[in-house]
Amino acid sequence: MPALYIIVNKMKEVEKVRLDKYLWSIRIFKSRSLASAGCEAGRVKMNGVTVKAARNVALNDVYEIRTEGRKWVIQVTALLANRVQYTEAIKFYNDITPEEDKAQERQASVFQTGKRPSKIGRPTKKERRELDDFMGGEEDL
């Protein structure tokens, strides 16, 4: 009997969920602190008005969210309090983002590839050696 109680207890529906926790659990943000920081920075809006992280999420709420990678417009279909895998998380919201915003997926402002743009900044070690060889190999003693 206790095993059955545990299973039923885990399936209990959630009544209230904070906005930052919901956005983290449906995998819009990587961490809950990033979700709350996004709310405080004005990146999460409901009906054009910035909302706070502590706001309770209700069914059929529509949120506009700006993240580093893209802009989202989501409609809440069910409440979720714990983070689950992506295939399960997408069942808890409808992505109603306009097609032009989906196609315009922005890259992060800092996109580090490991290579620097050519002819900008200090010469690399290889370029410095080539320059020294060209100039005659004079080295300071």
Side-chain angles (χ1 to χ4, degrees):
M1 190 72 153
L4 180 64
Y5 174 74
I6 293 172
I7 293 171
V8 172
N9 195 16
K10 285 186 176 184
M11 296 175 66
K12 177 179 81 168
E13 289 194 24
V14 179
E15 295 177 7
K16 294 191 316 182
V17 178
R18 289 174 49 112
L19 180 58
D20 60 343
K21 190 170 185 178
Y22 180 76
L23 294 176
W24 165 74
S25 64
I26 63 169
R27 296 182 172 268
I28 300 289
F29 290 97
K30 290 182 180 180
S31 68
R32 187 168 170 191
S33 61
L34 286 176
S36 63
C39 292
E40 300 305 318
R43 294 189 189 109
V44 180
K45 296 182 179 185
M46 180 178 178
N47 299 326
V49 179
T50 303
V51 291
K52 293 184 176 182
R55 184 186 194 288
N56 286 330
V57 177
L59 293 178
N60 297 321
D61 282 352
V62 177
Y63 295 101
E64 300 167 19
I65 306 151
R66 285 183 299 122
T67 61
E68 284 185 21
R70 79 179 258 211
K71 181 179 178 183
W72 299 76
V73 179
I74 63 166
Q75 180 180 16
V76 178
T77 58
L79 300 180
L80 179 65
N82 296 323
R83 192 167 170 104
V84 294
Q85 60 183 316
Y86 177 76
T87 56
E88 292 295 317
I90 59 175
K91 297 175 184 176
F92 290 86
Y93 68 93
N94 287 332
D95 188 359
I96 55 175
T97 307
E99 289 300 320
E100 59 270 7
D101 287 337
K102 284 183 182 179
Q104 184 190 357
E105 290 200 24
R106 299 173 290 214
Q107 288 185 342
S109 59
V110 178
F111 185 72
Q112 198 61 272
T113 61
K115 295 184 178 180
R116 67 178 182 85
S118 67
K119 300 184 176 110
I120 296 178
R122 296 175 48 177
T124 63
K125 191 171 187 177
K126 179 181 178 185
E127 292 170 343
R128 201 171 56 245
R129 286 180 178 160
E130 290 172 355
L131 188 59
D132 286 343
D133 290 341
F134 177 75
M135 297 297 283
E138 297 177 22
E139 292 187 20
D140 294 335
L141 296 176

